[in-house]
Amino acid sequence: MLILRSSKSISDRLLEVVRAYRGGTFRAVYTVRLANAVYVLHVFQKKSKSGIETPQSDMQLVRQRLQEAERMAKERK
């Protein structure tokens, strides 16, 4: 099953794709609202067996990459 949802815990501009595959859960976090481009910020396999929260280390990496994508989008204008 493929799930698309907003990733508001980081930013209301982010979308998250969640896919269950062969007993694992995989996530891709991306944004679609930057200067005619889609930036894939992070893709990872969720390994936690309990809870649905994304690990803080993954969230921090997405935040850093979002800032970099915003900077790159400004330079493209």
Side-chain angles (χ1 to χ4, degrees):
M1 175 191 294
L2 185 66
I3 300 169
L4 178 64
R5 63 183 176 208
S6 175
S7 185
K8 292 182 179 180
S9 61
I10 298 173
S11 170
D12 62 352
R13 294 171 295 181
L14 295 180
L15 295 174
E16 180 178 29
V17 177
V18 180
R19 172 81 161 106
Y21 180 74
R22 293 187 180 184
T25 301
F26 298 84
R27 295 181 179 190
V29 181
Y30 66 96
T31 183
V32 294
R33 297 183 184 171
L34 293 177
N36 300 321
V38 174
Y39 293 87
V40 177
L41 302 176
H42 189 40
V43 178
F44 59 99
Q45 180 178 10
K46 181 150 176 17
K47 295 185 179 183
S48 172
K49 300 294 181 190
S50 63
I52 61 171
E53 281 193 30
T54 302
Q56 287 297 316
S57 59
D58 288 307
M59 292 177 65
Q60 184 59 34
L61 183 58
V62 170
R63 285 185 190 100
Q64 290 171 352
R65 290 179 177 172
L66 176 59
Q67 289 177 347
E68 179 66 15
E70 289 170 335
R71 184 192 60 75
M72 290 170 59
K74 280 185 181 179
E75 291 175 357
R76 291 181 78 186
K77 288 184 179 182

